[in-house]
Amino acid sequence: MTQTVNVNFRLDAEVKKQMEEVCEEMGLSMTTAFTIFAKKVIRERSIPFEVEARDPFYSQSNLAFLRKAVAALNAGEGVEHELIEDDT
């Protein structure tokens, strides 16, 4: 028989409540949900979702658009606008 251990960590009360509700809708306990997460981390040797803290402005699609616009301006194909100042 596999030995189990307790793992303690802190969660915001509202996050815990919402997690319990979602798990219940799926017919899972939080223990089962976290066990699934842990086994997936072990199997894949990574977090099974993207974790990032970056500005969405610098997404690959935005950067590609900006590079294309700069190239067009440099080639004389773009339209330059005067600076628009915020009156606030």
Side-chain angles (χ1 to χ4, degrees):
M1 180 176 201
T2 303
Q3 180 184 0
T4 62
V5 296
N6 288 329
V7 177
N8 297 307
F9 55 92
R10 296 181 186 276
L11 275 180
D12 177 84
E14 185 60 25
V15 170
K16 179 182 181 281
K17 178 180 173 259
Q18 291 176 8
M19 175 74 171
E20 287 173 327
E21 290 170 0
V22 172
C23 287
E24 186 178 330
E25 289 173 13
M26 293 187 290
L28 302 172
S29 67
M30 279 183 49
T31 297
T32 301
F34 283 114
T35 300
I36 291 168
F37 170 78
K39 288 182 177 185
K40 191 160 177 74
V41 168
I42 293 165
R43 186 173 49 254
E44 296 183 6
R45 310 281 309 151
S46 68
I47 301 293
F49 48 83
E50 210 171 304
V51 178
E52 59 184 66
R54 61 179 159 191
D55 187 337
F57 177 80
Y58 295 102
S59 68
Q60 291 302 314
S61 60
N62 280 352
L63 290 174
F65 177 83
L66 291 171
R67 286 186 195 103
K68 185 177 176 182
V70 168
L73 280 173
N74 290 338
E77 299 168 357
V79 178
E80 291 188 42
H81 297 277
E82 295 201 20
L83 179 62
I84 300 172
E85 301 212 14
D86 189 3
D87 293 333
T88 58

